[in-house]
Structures are given as C-alpha cells and as structure tokens.
Amino acid sequence: MDACYYEMLGWKKKSGIYISIGKFFGKILGLIFAVGVATGVVMEFQFGTNWAEYSKFVGDIFGAPLAAEGIFRVFLESTFLGLYLFGRERVSKNVHWFSIFMVAVGATISAFWIIVANSWQQTPAGYIFTGWQSGTYGFLDCSF
C-alpha cells in the first residue's frame, strides 16, 4: 500500500520526492513478490511430496483456498505488477496508478486466502469424513 500511496501523492502533487519514494517501494515490492513466488512454488511441491497422504485426505477442502490464492496471485497481482514495474513512462499516469492499486488489492485478497487455508489447518470446520477422504458440507463453513 505504501507504493500506491506515494505514487498517488507524486502524481497529484507532481513532486519528484514522492515519485522516488514510490519507485523505491515498487522495487521492494517486486523483490518481495519474487521471493514469495519462489517459496510458494516450493511449498506447493511439498504438499504433494512430503505430505502426500495429508493432501489426499484434505485435498478437496484445502485445495480450494490454495487454488483461489494462486489465481489471484498469478492473474491479478503478477499482471498488474508487471504493468506497474515496466509500464512507467509507457502508460498513462491513471493506468500506472491503477496498476499498483490492483496489486495492493490482489495481495490483500491473496493473503486472505492463505490465511483461510492456514486457519483451516489449525481449526478445521465445515467438513465431513467419507471413508478415507474428507469433504465439505459448505464452502463458507470451511472458509469462515
């Protein structure tokens, strides 16, 4: 959100210092995003290799929030982050600010789904057992 805020201030006040601060936070955001993608890919493989039995047992429940997080991360965050990082001076100021705003929105939604998945692991609710597999009797019951 810092990059979004400072980009808006730089755009509205036409101040070079706010634009420089926005660029700085944008570079940090790009670095953090790259590290998050690298660690997230490893975690996804660990669910399949190290915790395969766990994944088979709760995959129908646990996979939905992870898939939602992946969709928001890949399609929303990465698209607009690329537009933000590489679109400066190539797109209008409106589009450039909107792109960092959408990165902030996508990161917030993505973080929500990660928290939903992690909280379900800690306090599972809204599921039923069917033999050697679990299922959900309500997606909202599992999520909230």
Side-chain angles (χ1 to χ4, degrees):
M1 283 306 270
D2 287 339
C4 185
Y5 176 72
Y6 286 114
E7 287 285 340
M8 181 187 66
L9 282 178
W11 177 39
K12 295 284 186 191
K13 295 184 177 187
K14 296 180 177 44
S15 172
I17 189 71
Y18 289 123
I19 293 171
S20 296
I21 293 171
K23 285 181 183 179
F24 173 74
F25 280 118
K27 289 177 185 176
I28 290 176
L29 180 63
L31 178 66
I32 290 171
F33 185 80
V35 170
V37 168
T39 57
V41 168
V42 171
M43 182 58 83
E44 293 294 329
F45 280 112
Q46 285 180 344
F47 280 123
T49 57
N50 297 346
W51 305 303
E53 290 301 315
Y54 175 75
S55 294
K56 278 193 245 177
F57 185 69
V58 299
D60 292 342
I61 302 168
F62 189 66
L66 287 181
E69 186 273 331
I71 288 170
F72 281 107
R73 179 176 35 88
V74 170
F75 292 113
L76 189 64
E77 272 184 87
S78 61
T79 300
F80 283 107
L81 184 61
L83 184 61
Y84 171 74
L85 292 176
F86 302 115
R88 189 179 302 273
E89 309 298 330
R90 292 187 177 99
V91 296
S92 70
K93 292 186 186 295
N94 288 339
V95 171
H96 192 253
W97 181 82
F98 181 74
S99 65
I100 192 61
F101 178 74
M102 290 307 293
V103 169
V105 169
T108 303
I109 295 171
S110 179
F112 169 77
W113 286 113
I114 290 172
I115 291 170
V116 165
N118 287 335
S119 68
W120 188 86
Q121 288 184 84
Q122 302 301 317
T123 56
Y127 67 96
I128 56 173
F129 292 113
T130 56
W132 287 99
Q133 218 172 6
S134 58
T136 177
Y137 60 79
F139 182 71
L140 292 178
D141 294 325
C142 292
S143 298
F144 300 105

